[in-house]
Amino acid sequence: DGMGNLRVTKKGIRLEGISEFLLPLYVREIHSRKDSPLVLQSDRNVTVNARNHMGQLTGQLTVGADAVEAQCKRFEVRASDSGKVLFSADEDEIVIGADRLKVTGTEGAVFGHSVETPHIRAEPSQDLKLESPTRSLVMEAPRGVQVNAAAGDLKATCRKELHLQSTEGEIFLNADTIRLGNLPVGSFSSSSSFSSSSSPSSSAPRQTIYELCACPNGKLYLSPAGAGSTCQSSSNICLWS
């Protein structure tokens, strides 16, 4: 029947307690008792190799002190209940099949190259931030890019210039109120208006109504409103812009 902790049964060999192997062990199947875990222990590392009928190595799993390494054509992690692929990796791509990918690190997720995804969103009550600290951030889509803030503000800030460009269509601003802040105020000069403005009167009303003007180069400025248009291409704003 065996010797010591080693027993020979109809189903194979049964070992009780802790067993130590000094040379390679070749078996078809290893399993523990139903009420006990299976522990593989080594002073250095534990390596599991899979070979084909020609003895060639087809897969390897190594558990070491510093890392767990898997070497194979395709690595998969499946759900225990449904068998759904949660994670898979090969030479061509890495697929994450979970319903949601959550990154909890304080620095977020860093991508060295492009990212393709149909939807990016933040956690409820949390802000979503897309940032490129030292270079540019580009979002491209052949059928359009939509940025929507359903219950808050949408802000776009930059240090230098903000460009809105449409090569074939139009730029449409639709709101109850459209405000353009910090627009420069140009001067309007004519023979009649200049003579009246050269001698200001204390009873002259304060200018509160302005006309929105556009220079030939597209720059916008304000001009004091009059009976007619006071926009001039020779305005100091257009000449010095």
Side-chain angles (χ1 to χ4, degrees), residues 49-59:
N49 294 331
R51 300 180 182 272
N52 58 16
H53 65 281
M54 300 179 61
Q56 298 174 342
L57 183 65
T58 58

Side-chain angles (χ1 to χ4, degrees), residues 65-175:
D66 299 327
V68 177
E69 299 179 359
Q71 180 180 351
C72 54
K73 291 184 178 180
R74 182 178 180 85
F75 179 78
E76 293 184 353
V77 177
R78 294 180 176 269
S80 59
D81 298 333
S82 61
K84 178 182 177 181
V85 177
L86 302 178
F87 178 88
S88 66
D90 55 26
E91 292 183 357
D92 298 328
E93 64 179 2
I94 295 177
V95 178
I96 299 177
D99 296 335
R100 182 175 62 175
L101 173 62
K102 186 175 182 180
V103 181
T104 58
T106 56
E107 297 296 329
V110 180
F111 300 94
H113 298 283
S114 61
V115 179
E116 297 183 8
T117 176
H119 192 190
I120 299 178
R121 69 177 181 179
E123 288 285 345
S125 303
Q126 298 294 327
D127 295 333
L128 174 64
K129 185 176 182 181
L130 302 178
E131 179 182 4
S132 178
T134 59
R135 293 295 185 268
S136 59
L137 177 63
V138 179
M139 292 187 293
E140 296 181 351
R143 300 185 61 181
V145 176
Q146 181 178 359
V147 181
N148 182 24
D153 298 334
L154 178 62
K155 297 181 181 180
T157 59
C158 61
R159 182 177 180 181
K160 294 184 179 180
E161 297 180 353
L162 177 62
H163 295 270
L164 298 177
Q165 180 180 1
S166 177
T167 57
E168 297 182 359
E170 61 182 8
I171 298 177
F172 182 65
L173 301 177
N174 184 14

